[in-house]
């Protein structure tokens, strides 16, 4: 019996390619000094701006903003890791997200079955909340946890265990729905 469902956000509730391809292009447009600099940054992110595709090993796919900042930092001399992470988080919060399915009917249907809902993402919590609010579904979640919420990042179990504690559910009665090995682990 399942009493709770924790969703990954990107690639699960929101289409990854269309959502984060646009974000990556904005990062390049705002942070790169010229086309050669943008190309170096795109290479660091393992991103092809022409197609909007990320390489399978791109840190953007399952990494945190801090992990993405680490690979971009050598391209941005004079920038601190903290400042770059904050900038990436702000750009993430304003990213144009494309829902993978009509979210309100899906999540409302699960709530109607008395399921508790959570979100566990390697995105920042503020960005995750902004994305959910844009789709008018934030109110359907019992817990929204990002890598910076104090529970650790995926693939660690912290966000799932926090959801179980917050809802009073036994962890073995909670289902994780995701699209990556980080979610499976």
């Amino acid at each position: 019996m399942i009493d709770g469902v924790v969703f990954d956000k990107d690639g699960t509730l929101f289409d990854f390619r269309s959502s984060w391809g646009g974000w990556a292009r904005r990062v390049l447009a705002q942070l790169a000094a010229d086309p050669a600099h943008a190309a170096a940054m795109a290479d660091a992110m393992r991103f092809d701006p022409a197609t909007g595709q990320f390489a399978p090993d791109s840190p953007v796919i399952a990494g945190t903003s801090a992990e993405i900042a680490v690979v971009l930092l050598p391209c941005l001399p004079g920038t601190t890791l903290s400042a770059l992470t904050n900038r990436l988080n702000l750009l993430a919060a304003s990213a144009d997200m494309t829902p993978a399915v009509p979210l309100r009917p899906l999540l409302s249907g699960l709530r109607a079955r008395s399921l508790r809902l959570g979100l566990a993402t390697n995105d920042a919590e503020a960005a995750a909340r902004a994305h959910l609010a844009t789709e008018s579904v934030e109110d359907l979640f019992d817990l929204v946890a990002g890598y910076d919420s104090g529970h650790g990042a995926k693939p660690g179990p912290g966000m799932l265990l926090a959801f179980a504690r917050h809802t009073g559910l036994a962890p073995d009665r909670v289902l994780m729905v995701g699209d990556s090995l980080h979610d499976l682990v």
Side-chain angles (χ1 to χ4, degrees):
M1 180 69 88
I2 299 298
D3 296 317
V5 180
V6 177
F7 288 94
D8 167 57
K9 181 173 66 74
D10 303 314
T12 304
L13 296 178
F14 294 94
D15 180 270
F16 182 84
R17 182 177 169 201
S18 65
S19 300
W20 291 102
W23 171 86
R25 287 184 181 109
R26 281 185 52 218
V27 166
L28 297 175
Q30 290 191 21
L31 300 181
D34 56 48
H37 190 213
M41 291 176 62
D43 286 346
M45 287 192 294
R46 309 279 293 127
F47 173 67
D48 181 348
T51 65
Q53 295 276 2
F54 292 90
D57 63 343
S58 170
V60 177
I61 291 175
T64 67
S65 295
E67 292 167 336
I68 299 165
V70 166
V71 302
L72 287 176
L73 198 60
C75 299
L76 297 162
T79 302
T80 66
L81 182 61
S82 176
L84 183 54
T85 300
N86 289 339
R87 182 78 183 269
L88 293 175
N89 283 335
L90 287 173
L91 288 168
S94 63
D96 292 325
M97 303 300 286
T98 304
V101 299
L103 294 178
R104 188 93 195 163
L106 169 72
L107 299 170
S108 295
L110 294 173
R111 290 300 295 222
R113 294 179 180 171
S114 300
L115 290 169
R116 307 293 295 269
L117 302 180
L119 184 83
T121 180
N122 274 349
D123 201 355
E125 180 181 337
R129 288 186 179 282
H131 300 157
L132 296 174
T134 297
E135 294 302 315
S136 301
V137 295
E138 185 180 9
D139 62 305
L140 298 174
F141 288 89
D142 295 289
L143 180 75
V144 174
Y147 82 94
D148 58 349
S149 298
H151 312 295
K154 296 184 294 182
M159 290 186 252
L160 292 173
L161 294 173
F163 174 79
R165 280 191 306 275
H166 181 78
T167 58
L169 299 177
D172 63 350
R173 295 179 67 99
V174 176
L175 174 72
M176 174 71 197
V177 178
D179 70 323
S180 74
L181 290 177
H182 277 73
D183 300 320
L184 178 64
V185 172

